[in-house]
Amino acid sequence: MTGYGLAVHDSGSTKYTVEIKSLNSKFLELSLRIPRSFSDKEFQLRTECNKQIERGKVNLSINVEQVAQTVKAAGIDKVLLKHYFEQLKSVSEELNEPATNLFQLALGLPEVVKYDDESVSDEEWKIVEQTFQKAIKAFQQFRADEGNVLEQDIRSRIDIIMDNLGKVAIEEPKRVPLIRERLNQFLSDSVGGENIDRNRFEQELIYYIDKLDITEEKTRLKAHCDYFIETLKSPDANGKKLGFISQEIGREINTIGSKANDANMQKLVVGMKEELEKIKEQLLNVL
């Protein structure tokens, strides 16, 4: 969900710059930095960002730069200026302070001078809106390019999990002779080989091995991985859905690990867990 978009419009006398930056976030956290003259357009900008950006900690800034620095005053509030001046004069007399520069001070107080840049014309807003849309387009393209890289990375890690699952299937049958030998040796050392009830031993061995069977877990893990790839191909925003599927993948991997009872299988399970954790980290960047 990181992204960056920049668009500039230079009309000759005025330069408009729109910049959009985002970092990872589960929700849309929008921060706007716009000129005061565009304050009445804030709701419209927020609505458009909600519609097109969806998620992320987003900073939107609009900068208007006048090539010829001319500030035109629309007018002076004479009543307010006189009121400020009289108050300042009264205070200076009470404090016995010199009444110099009172007019200049009063002129700089709030709302005395009204500037014509406190509102934006329809023509100017149209230019800014078009520049904003260009910035959004560049922002979305940045996200799309990053998404393609993420998709390849995540796919490769799912492939590693599936590859390890195939190796687990190869190692799994090797456990039975080892378990048989280990249990047989344990009983021989405990009660003596001649005292072992072979029929009972085979029954207990079958029961024990059945508890370690991972056939269902392997099937579910493969199904979850296939569903993950299928969802990854979807053009819809599916980051949360992929997160849920990754949780199910993790459950099956953990169960296989708990039933492995074999060092080689445990190593393969650890490898799968490692890849899954990297996938979960990358999913924070997926919408």
Side-chain angles (χ1 to χ4, degrees), residues 10-37:
D10 194 341
S11 64
S13 60
T14 309
K15 183 179 180 181
Y16 303 91
T17 303
V18 179
E19 185 178 40
I20 307 173
K21 297 184 290 186
S22 76
L23 297 174
N24 298 334
S25 178
K26 292 182 178 180
F27 309 99
L28 177 61
E29 302 176 51
L30 185 59
S31 175
L32 269 64
R33 185 165 60 87
I34 59 178
R36 183 173 58 178
S37 56

Side-chain angles (χ1 to χ4, degrees), residues 177-209:
L178 295 176
I179 293 172
R180 180 192 297 273
E181 182 181 349
R182 189 164 61 246
L183 291 177
N184 189 58
Q185 185 63 46
F186 174 77
L187 290 174
S188 297
D189 294 341
S190 300
V191 300
E194 67 280 359
N195 295 321
I196 298 175
D197 185 337
R198 289 297 167 181
N199 289 331
R200 181 64 184 275
F201 175 77
E202 292 297 330
Q203 291 175 358
E204 294 295 334
L205 181 62
I206 292 172
Y207 176 79
Y208 182 72
I209 292 174

Side-chain angles (χ1 to χ4, degrees), residues 70-253:
T70 56
V71 179
K72 301 177 181 178
I76 296 176
D77 190 329
K78 296 180 180 179
V79 175
L80 187 59
L81 174 61
K82 184 177 180 180
H83 177 70
Y84 281 147
F85 182 80
E86 294 296 337
Q87 283 190 321
L88 290 171
K89 184 177 180 182
S90 174
V91 172
S92 67
E93 290 175 353
E94 290 179 11
L95 298 177
N96 197 27
E97 291 290 334
T100 55
N101 298 325
L102 292 185
F103 180 80
Q104 188 68 30
L105 182 60
L107 196 62
L109 290 174
E111 305 299 328
V112 174
V113 180
K114 304 291 186 180
Y115 296 98
D116 61 358
D117 62 351
E118 291 181 354
S119 61
V120 59
S121 66
D122 292 340
E123 182 180 352
E124 185 178 15
W125 169 242
K126 185 177 181 180
I127 293 173
V128 172
E129 190 174 24
Q130 290 174 347
T131 308
F132 167 75
Q133 292 296 340
K134 290 179 181 178
I136 282 284
K137 186 176 180 179
F139 175 84
Q140 300 290 31
Q141 185 60 51
F142 184 100
R143 278 189 164 183
D145 293 341
E146 184 184 68
N148 291 332
V149 175
L150 287 175
E151 180 181 357
Q152 295 304 316
D153 182 76
I154 292 174
R155 279 176 176 273
S156 67
R157 300 191 186 283
I158 289 291
D159 288 342
I160 293 174
I161 291 175
M162 293 295 291
D163 184 61
N164 279 13
L165 179 60
K167 293 177 181 178
V168 165
I170 295 173
E171 294 293 329
E172 183 187 6
K174 300 177 184 179
R175 295 182 302 168
V176 177
L178 295 176
I179 293 172
R180 180 192 297 273
E181 182 181 349
R182 189 164 61 246
L183 291 177
N184 189 58
Q185 185 63 46
F186 174 77
L187 290 174
S188 297
D189 294 341
S190 300
V191 300
E194 67 280 359
N195 295 321
I196 298 175
D197 185 337
R198 289 297 167 181
N199 289 331
R200 181 64 184 275
F201 175 77
E202 292 297 330
Q203 291 175 358
E204 294 295 334
L205 181 62
I206 292 172
Y207 176 79
Y208 182 72
I209 292 174
D210 183 63
K211 291 293 183 181
L212 300 180
D213 182 67
I214 58 171
T215 302
E216 292 184 6
E217 287 77 9
K218 291 188 297 180
T219 302
R220 285 196 295 264
L221 178 54
K222 183 181 183 305
H224 291 327
C225 288
D226 290 341
Y227 186 41
F228 187 97
I229 294 298
E230 179 185 337
T231 305
L232 191 63
K233 295 177 182 177
S234 172
D236 301 326
N238 49 29
K240 291 183 179 179
K241 187 175 182 179
L242 290 171
F244 296 145
I245 300 173
S246 68
Q247 292 177 10
E248 296 301 320
I249 291 175
R251 289 191 182 94
E252 301 305 330
I253 292 174

